[in-house]
Amino acid sequence: IPGTGLPPPGPLSRFTPLLEDGVVSRWLSLHAGPGAWVLDPYGFSPRLTLEAARAGYRVLVTVNNPVTRFLLEMSANPPSEADFKAALSELETSKKGDERLGAHLQSLYLTTCEKCEREIQAESFLWRKGEESPYARVYKCPHCEDAGERPATQSDVDRAKRIAATDGLHRSRAFERVATIHDEDRVYAEEAIAYYLPRPLYFLTTVTNRLDGLRLPPERKRALTALLLLACDAGNTLWGYPSERARPKQLNIPSQFREQNLWMTLERGPGPWVETGSGVVVEAWPRRLPETGGICIYEGRLMDLAQEVKKEMEQQTKLKAAGKKTTRIGSVEISDSESSIAGLMRRFEKKQRRK
């Protein structure tokens, strides 16, 4: 089925399936009418789920990955651009010692313009795999407009080494925040954090700790969390230079890579969320959805959902045998078996058995 074209890049889109817009909604229109229930058993693509919901279908999606769930909820109903700007402003004006946190974080990326010799922000630093300091920087000077890739200065090297001198402390704190030393998932945390250089790791842990301390309204906290998620993606060492794998298939550090300015990432961050927002109704299982469409999220595995549905069906059967009228499984009318979650689960199980 042909689509209408590839969608613009969205948050973390290089790690989600590349699907053309229009394919899902066209396929569904050939097999079910608007308002019918659709089962997304794996929840691997927030964009697919959103397109189905926008087309007027009620989508039950099982999501076992908290990042995928956050992407889905944010893309369906992102905070306003005003909330994003206000949240970033509160982060920027909060204090770290005697200086503003924003000024402190921006100072991590200072460099000197080669032409006018003024101190400016580098857009990124360039590294070779295995080396202890950057070999170049990329910038655009706001004063003299000199721009491009330039060799790293001694000041750039010294700044990187000063940050690296305290890396052990910040890295161990990051480990403890993600998984304690006795946690069986500790090895995965160590593997993931190994793909972050000292400077971005310090930046991300500092912002994460400050996020916990800021007294933000719920929508602004969601906004700042969304910006932090973008920074986590931008801050790893998987961004090859000068060419990069647009959709990395495995965690391999390129021989040359970019270390991006994460404060600039935060400033540019609202765009991807606001541009992909869709205003779709999202509810947690087993709350009801309107017949006009929406997304019902089951937080867990498909097997767990199947067990819950089976228990509900058994209970409904017992009540029916006792002469008691009941027509609901979770948020779904059981009488409409072909468009109910029970019907979807039965058809899905039959298909899996045939495989």
Side-chain angles (χ1 to χ4, degrees):
I1 296 177
T4 58
L6 291 174
L12 272 66
S13 58
R14 64 184 185 140
F15 297 110
T16 57
L18 188 62
L19 302 171
E20 286 195 8
D21 284 337
V23 174
V24 173
S25 55
R26 288 185 181 184
W27 185 89
L28 286 172
S29 68
L30 300 175
H31 295 82
W37 279 92
V38 177
L39 175 65
D40 183 354
Y42 305 115
F44 63 87
S45 174
R47 189 180 294 277
L48 180 151
T49 306
L50 285 168
E51 182 179 330
R54 287 194 201 106
Y57 295 90
R58 291 178 286 181
V59 185
L60 172 62
V61 55
T62 58
V63 181
N64 200 34
N65 185 322
V67 174
T68 304
R69 173 170 183 162
F70 184 78
L71 282 174
L72 183 56
E73 292 175 334
M74 283 291 299
S75 298
N77 289 296
S80 66
E81 188 171 1
D83 282 323
F84 276 108
K85 290 180 178 180
L88 185 57
S89 177
E90 292 199 42
L91 176 70
E92 194 275 334
T93 56
S94 63
K95 291 289 187 178
K96 182 175 177 61
D98 296 329
E99 65 177 333
R100 287 187 172 188
L101 181 61
H104 171 72
L105 294 175
Q106 291 176 68
S107 71
L108 302 175
Y109 299 96
L110 289 177
T111 190
T112 303
C113 174
E114 190 174 89
K115 185 176 180 180
C116 69
E117 298 186 347
R118 293 192 184 187
E119 204 167 49
I120 58 172
Q121 290 275 304
E123 295 179 358
S124 61
F125 289 100
L126 308 180
W127 292 71
R128 295 188 181 94
K129 183 178 179 180
E131 295 189 354
E132 297 181 353
S133 59
Y135 70 87
R137 64 259 168 80
V138 177
Y139 66 77
K140 182 177 181 180
C141 181
H143 307 291
C144 68
E145 298 187 352
D146 183 42
E149 177 185 335
R150 302 289 183 268
T153 65
Q154 187 60 46
S155 177
D156 297 328
V157 173
D158 292 342
R159 181 175 285 106
K161 289 184 176 180
R162 283 198 302 272
I163 297 171
T166 58
D167 182 56
L169 174 63
H170 300 298
R171 203 165 289 268
S172 63
R173 287 178 177 173
F175 287 146
E176 291 303 311
R177 187 178 182 88
V178 177
T180 63
I181 195 169
H182 300 296
D183 193 316
E184 61 181 10
D185 292 329
R186 172 86 174 202
V187 61
Y188 302 114
E190 292 177 350
E191 181 182 0
I193 293 175
Y195 290 91
Y196 288 87
L197 292 171
R199 179 163 31 207
L201 184 66
Y202 171 74
F203 184 105
L204 293 170
T205 54
T206 300
V207 174
T208 301
N209 292 335
R210 186 53 52 90
L211 175 61
D212 292 339
L214 291 174
R215 296 181 179 180
L216 297 172
E219 279 301 281
R220 292 184 184 180
K221 188 168 186 178
R222 285 180 71 224
L224 195 53
T225 302
L227 296 180
L228 181 57
L229 181 60
L230 293 181
C232 287
D233 180 35
N236 59 52
T237 54
L238 302 178
W239 298 90
Y241 184 86
S243 62
E244 62 185 47
R245 183 185 291 275
R247 307 180 65 80
K249 296 181 180 180
Q250 56 187 350
L251 298 181
N252 278 333
I253 300 177
S255 57
Q256 294 187 156
F257 59 88
R258 287 185 294 137
E259 178 201 352
Q260 305 188 71
N261 184 322
L262 296 188
W263 184 260
M264 289 184 175
T265 298
L266 295 183
E267 291 181 323
R268 292 191 298 263
W273 295 109
V274 174
E275 291 165 5
T276 58
S278 56
V280 171
V281 175
V282 178
E283 297 287 359
W285 165 273
R287 294 175 183 167
R288 297 189 65 180
L289 287 176
E291 293 186 4
T292 53
I295 300 169
C296 181
I297 298 177
Y298 180 84
E299 190 172 7
R301 299 177 302 170
L302 179 64
M303 292 174 57
D304 299 328
L305 173 62
Q307 290 301 316
E308 285 200 29
V309 171
K310 286 180 179 179
K311 288 179 182 178
E312 290 281 359
M313 291 174 66
E314 291 171 359
Q315 182 66 19
Q316 297 288 351
T317 301
K318 290 178 181 178
L319 291 172
K320 186 176 181 180
K324 297 180 180 181
K325 184 178 180 182
T326 179
T327 59
R328 190 168 301 285
I329 290 182
S331 62
V332 183
E333 297 294 336
I334 194 171
S335 59
D336 188 9
S337 60
E338 283 306 302
S339 62
S340 69
I341 293 177
L344 287 169
M345 293 301 298
R346 284 195 294 270
R347 294 199 297 276
F348 183 76
E349 287 181 346
K350 287 179 182 178
K351 186 176 291 185
Q352 290 297 99
R353 285 195 294 270
R354 286 198 295 269
K355 290 181 180 180

